[in-house]
Amino acid sequence: MNHFEYHNGVLCAENVPLTQIAQEVGTPVYVYSRATLTRHYTVFADAFRAAGLDAKICYAVKANSNLAVIALLGQLGAGADVVSEGELRRALAAGIPPDRIVFSGVGKSESELRFALETGIHEINVESESEIRLLSRIAASMNEKISTGRKENKFGIDIDRAEEIYALAASLPGLAPVTVAVHIGSQLTDLDPYRQAFRRVAQLVERLRSLGHKITRVDLGGGLGIPYDAENPPLPDAYAKMAAEEIAH
């Protein structure tokens, strides 16, 4: 249910006609439904709780950087996944606590990484060997310890180099590699690609732990697809159950 419905031929948001909103505030105008966002987040979060997973759900700010949207999701318990200093600052301005913010994305600048460290965010997902070295240099100069994860697939570090890269990260000052992160897409309407990716993540975690790395969490990026046309994406409870089957051990 998305709380946008037609009544007597007029599209309404939570039973308020959009024509009325347009008349009162003018156009163009973006209209969001608090009830819709609340319901969708709650359904998603409840699915992971029901599956027995202690999951931190982070909203991808790049999907919609409206401060009211970010603030509402933060009030509901969501964290934020950001890909730039600007998005990080918007998340903070919207009231998302630093310990619920993850910094992902390619091409992070030195100033962006420094700001993330100074802010004390939950996690930085590094995307390349050069970024690991840059992050270590910055962290060591600040004399702080941070936690990093990394991603593979379309971008990020090739999984075949994971053991080598984790060994490098563990050897560098200022870094604590404690996360394995993966992102395979955001408009998938079939659980099988996620299942295959999460299974590989679980296998990698086992290998890394056997080598002495203290991996304490996984970052499962992406998201369930939505029906633009005739798609029939899986429900959150099926997604959460699948994730639990593959990584909850």
Side-chain angles (χ1 to χ4, degrees), residues 12-27:
C12 300
E14 299 182 29
N15 297 317
V16 178
L18 295 187
T19 52
Q20 176 184 333
I21 295 175
Q23 290 171 357
E24 293 184 5
V25 304
T27 60

Side-chain angles (χ1 to χ4, degrees), residues 79-95:
D81 182 280
V82 304
V83 297
S84 70
E85 181 178 334
E87 289 189 358
L88 172 52
R89 289 182 181 275
R90 289 189 75 83
L92 293 170

Side-chain angles (χ1 to χ4, degrees), residues 1-7 12-15 33-43 227 235-236:
M1 184 176 182
N2 60 27
H3 297 278
F4 284 88
E5 300 174 321
Y6 282 94
H7 296 290
C12 300
E14 299 182 29
N15 297 317
S33 167
R34 183 185 185 93
T36 294
L37 293 170
T38 299
R39 179 188 180 279
H40 287 5
Y41 176 82
T42 301
V43 168
L235 296 175

Side-chain angles (χ1 to χ4, degrees), residues 5 8 32 55 60 96 108 113 126 153 174 177 181 188-189 216 227 234 242:
E5 300 174 321
N8 299 319
Y32 303 103
I96 303 292
K108 305 181 194 72
L113 290 172
V126 299
N153 201 276
L188 299 181
T189 56
T216 59
M242 176 276 298

Side-chain angles (χ1 to χ4, degrees), residues 41-141:
Y41 176 82
T42 301
V43 168
F44 198 76
D46 286 350
F48 279 87
R49 280 191 285 267
L53 293 177
D54 180 19
K56 184 188 297 290
I57 298 172
C58 294
Y59 169 67
V61 174
K62 64 184 177 183
N64 187 326
S65 59
N66 182 291
L67 286 175
V69 171
I70 302 171
L72 171 59
L73 291 170
Q75 292 162 14
L76 294 172
D81 182 280
V82 304
V83 297
S84 70
E85 181 178 334
E87 289 189 358
L88 172 52
R89 289 182 181 275
R90 289 189 75 83
L92 293 170
I96 303 292
D99 63 1
R100 297 210 312 251
I101 298 177
V102 174
F103 196 166
S104 304
V106 298
K108 305 181 194 72
S109 69
E110 180 170 346
S111 62
E112 286 181 316
L113 290 172
R114 184 175 296 277
F115 179 71
L117 292 174
E118 291 172 344
T119 304
I121 66 173
H122 178 64
E123 179 175 300
I124 297 174
N125 290 338
V126 299
E127 303 282 349
S128 67
E129 181 177 339
S130 61
E131 187 173 278
I132 289 176
R133 295 185 183 279
L134 174 60
L135 186 59
S136 172
R137 178 169 62 80
I138 298 169
S141 71

Side-chain angles (χ1 to χ4, degrees), residues 198-249:
F198 295 171
R199 185 170 298 169
R200 295 192 70 187
V201 166
Q203 293 168 348
L204 176 59
V205 169
E206 290 182 359
R207 291 204 309 274
L208 292 173
R209 284 175 173 170
S210 72
L211 294 172
H213 298 289
K214 294 180 173 60
I215 306 301
T216 59
R217 54 182 179 255
V218 293
D219 185 332
L220 305 179
L224 293 176
I226 62 174
Y228 283 104
D229 191 9
E231 300 92 345
N232 186 29
L235 296 175
D237 57 351
Y239 176 75
K241 180 181 179 182
M242 176 276 298
E245 291 172 351
E246 298 301 335
I247 56 91
H249 62 279

Side-chain angles (χ1 to χ4, degrees), residues 161-196:
R161 295 192 63 208
E163 293 180 19
E164 169 195 351
I165 296 300
Y166 273 83
L168 170 64
S171 71
L172 292 173
L175 301 186
V178 298
T179 303
V180 173
V182 63
H183 192 302
I184 65 170
S186 301
Q187 182 52 26
L188 299 181
T189 56
D190 182 354
L191 287 180
D192 189 58
Y194 286 113
R195 183 180 295 279
Q196 293 182 43

